[in-house]
Amino acid sequence: MAIPCPPFIGSEKLSVESGAMSPSSPSPLILTQDELKKIAAYKAVDFVQSGMVLGLGTGSTAKHAVDRIADLLHQGKLKDIVGIPTSKKTHQQAVSLGIPLSDLDSHPVVDLAIDGADEVDSNLNLVKGRGGSLLREKMIESACKKFIVIVDESKLVAHVGASGAMPVEVVPFCWKFTQDTLQNLFDYAGCVAKLRTDNGGEKIFVTDNGNYIVDLFFEKNIGDLNVASGAILRLAGVVEHGMFLDMATTVIVAGELGITIKNK
């Protein structure tokens, strides 16, 4: 059953005290990055309602949200939830926690997705996929009515690609040709393209879909993101890229001074 997500409060700020959100003065406690991630994840789950179809994100921040959803289900505070996982890893986590699962074939409209991000710019454009799950994440999060992104403040950037790799999922066939083409495409931004490897470079990283990932590193701002997106997707060997443009409806940012909610 599809239930609309409740409205969000623009520019809302909440302080963090003893690991919880409070409207009081900022906490003197110094929180770890993982504690900040957990606070953002729990805040996002506050917007989940019984009967929703949920996109279950992947990564260290989204893991906390999946854990919290399971806790509320077991407490009886949430009922009739259906989860659609964005990776095999999240699928395994949800199954182990007893969250009922389905897929886009059975539920083509998702009420709410909660996921992390590797970068968030001032327009709420994202870089995702440094964990390797960008294709399934984009498929599910493109189908949702509301997409809440949960991050700690270290993920905020001046422009896409500022803090590290922008992943591109490519087919294994002639991957080096595709890698070289991608690097040449963004030569103006000082791009270096690198095939992602596993186990200290001993083997090629393979996605849940059996593809490879080429990570693009930029020395400069790549400019118009929609133009860049179109240019990447026109390359025959490319499956999908890690720029999630104009997709996030809300970004919840956890920092040592509290929670900030940014709305589209």
Side-chain angles (χ1 to χ4, degrees):
M1 178 173 61
I3 296 178
C5 186
F8 301 104
I9 302 172
S11 301
E12 178 183 351
K13 288 190 177 181
L14 301 169
S15 68
V16 179
E17 187 167 335
S18 300
M21 277 65 69
S22 166
S24 61
S25 59
S27 168
L29 296 176
I30 297 176
L31 301 176
T32 67
Q33 187 178 37
D34 191 61
E35 287 170 334
L36 293 174
K37 291 177 179 180
K38 188 172 184 179
I39 290 168
Y42 276 42
K43 182 62 180 176
V45 176
D46 285 347
F47 298 108
V48 176
Q49 296 181 7
S50 293
M52 279 186 165
V53 176
L54 299 175
L56 304 177
T58 297
S60 59
T61 308
K63 179 182 182 297
H64 290 306
V66 176
D67 286 340
R68 179 61 173 165
I69 290 166
D71 287 343
L72 295 176
L73 279 170
H74 296 152
Q75 294 171 25
K77 295 179 180 179
L78 286 177
K79 298 179 180 179
D80 302 320
I81 292 294
V82 175
I84 302 181
T86 56
S87 67
K88 290 180 179 179
K89 185 174 183 179
T90 300
H91 183 278
Q92 293 169 354
Q93 179 192 4
V95 168
S96 72
L97 295 171
I99 299 175
L101 298 179
S102 188
D103 55 33
L104 289 177
D105 291 336
S106 300
H107 295 86
V109 178
V110 180
D111 295 302
L112 172 65
I114 300 174
D115 205 353
D118 300 303
E119 292 185 350
V120 181
D121 75 6
S122 59
N123 294 313
L124 307 192
N125 294 310
L126 318 173
V127 168
K128 290 176 54 58
R130 292 179 189 170
S133 302
L134 66 96
L135 177 59
R136 296 190 187 193
E137 288 173 337
K138 188 171 283 191
M139 288 179 68
I140 292 165
E141 289 152 10
S142 294
C144 65
K145 296 177 182 178
K146 297 285 185 181
F147 177 25
I148 302 180
V149 177
I150 46 179
V151 295
D152 65 86
E153 58 191 354
S154 71
K155 306 300 184 182
L156 303 181
V157 296
H159 58 82
V160 162
S163 71
M166 198 284 283
V168 181
E169 188 159 342
V170 304
V171 297
F173 176 73
C174 293
W175 64 264
K176 191 176 187 307
F177 172 81
T178 306
Q179 174 182 274
D180 292 345
T181 304
L182 285 165
Q183 181 166 305
N184 292 335
L185 185 65
F186 294 101
D187 181 66
Y188 67 90
C191 178
V192 175
K194 296 181 180 179
L195 183 71
R196 186 177 300 185
T197 57
D198 237 342
N199 293 342
E202 291 183 2
K203 63 178 183 178
I204 296 173
F205 176 86
V206 179
T207 71
D208 286 349
N209 317 295
N211 297 314
Y212 295 169
I213 287 183
V214 172
D215 288 316
L216 305 183
F217 298 88
F218 306 114
E219 291 183 359
K220 304 174 184 177
N221 190 334
I222 61 174
D224 189 310
L225 299 181
N226 288 305
V227 171
S229 171
I232 294 171
L233 294 176
R234 282 193 293 272
L235 299 180
V238 167
V239 178
E240 188 53 85
H241 60 69
M243 291 187 289
F244 285 50
L245 308 180
D246 199 30
M247 288 179 58
T249 54
T250 298
V251 175
I252 298 177
V253 184
E256 291 187 4
L257 297 181
I259 289 285
T260 301
I261 301 180
K262 302 173 181 286
N263 294 301
K264 196 69 178 177

